[in-house]
Amino acid sequence: MQYGKDAASVGLLPEELLILANAHEGQEARRYRLMALRFQPFNTAISRLMDVLVLESQRRLEELKRINKRLFFMGLPPSKTACKTPVGQHPFFILDEPMASQVFERMLSDEQHSRRLYEQLLEANAIPELTALFSAFIDQKLAQYHILEEARQWL
């Protein structure tokens, strides 16, 4: 599946691709952590699933750091994974099925966006080791999308 090159990924060095992936995955970890908190009062099973997705995101962050260190002998900028509460979002907690359905639609859209970003990084990449890494991340994102689709039935 081919996607047009994103302006941000055209002509980037491999280290820059890793920095972009690291920043994105830090945002993903924050997003999953926030969803775990928001779903807690409504559905603890979905909240626990979000906690698992946080762990998967943290594993991807560790893999990015490991490969960056091996290829470039330097550390990636720290990714900020602290959870920030969005300002002006009322109510914060998910309390009913219509709200949960709406949030799930957004999560599925975000998951597709995340996969497409990794596809663009893969397309902009020229290092075999990063090809394997980004391909694995794309597969993981596809799997997570399907898991979220199934979890939506728990509502």
Side-chain angles (χ1 to χ4, degrees):
M1 191 179 287
Q2 291 287 346
Y3 289 90
K5 288 189 177 185
D6 182 271
S9 65
V10 175
L12 295 176
L13 297 171
E15 345 27 321
E16 293 171 318
L17 295 174
L18 283 168
I19 289 169
L20 280 173
N22 187 67
H24 173 71
E25 207 54 55
Q27 290 174 342
E28 290 290 277
R30 283 190 301 279
R31 182 171 62 88
Y32 297 133
R33 190 171 288 120
L34 185 66
M35 289 300 111
L37 291 171
R38 291 187 70 199
F39 271 101
Q40 188 64 42
F42 178 71
N43 188 313
T44 56
I46 293 173
S47 179
R48 285 191 303 268
L49 172 62
M50 295 300 120
D51 285 333
V52 170
L53 294 180
V54 169
L55 293 175
E56 290 300 314
S57 193
Q58 289 172 337
R59 286 185 187 118
R60 284 189 289 275
L61 284 167
E62 288 304 314
E63 186 66 15
L64 286 164
K65 289 175 189 171
R66 185 184 64 74
I67 286 185
N68 186 66
K69 196 170 193 175
R70 189 168 72 229
L71 292 177
F72 304 110
F73 308 108
M74 58 189 217
L76 286 168
S79 85
K80 299 172 183 128
T81 58
C83 188
K84 294 180 182 176
T85 304
V87 177
Q89 189 169 1
H90 300 286
F92 174 78
F93 291 109
I94 295 165
L95 302 172
D96 57 28
E97 193 172 319
M99 186 177 184
S101 291
Q102 184 180 17
V103 169
F104 255 94
E105 288 303 316
R106 177 60 194 247
M107 283 192 305
L108 289 167
S109 174
D110 289 344
E111 203 64 42
Q112 286 179 323
H113 169 77
S114 183
R115 176 187 45 83
R116 283 192 301 269
L117 178 107
Y118 283 119
E119 288 171 342
Q120 291 173 338
L121 293 177
L122 176 64
E123 188 176 321
N125 173 56
I127 296 180
E129 198 162 5
L130 294 182
T131 298
L133 177 73
F134 292 146
S135 293
F137 286 5
I138 290 166
D139 291 343
Q140 291 168 12
K141 290 297 183 172
L142 282 169
Q144 286 180 195
Y145 180 86
H146 293 299
I147 289 167
L148 288 172
E149 275 188 320
E150 289 178 23
R152 184 170 47 179
Q153 297 173 14
W154 302 346
L155 301 178

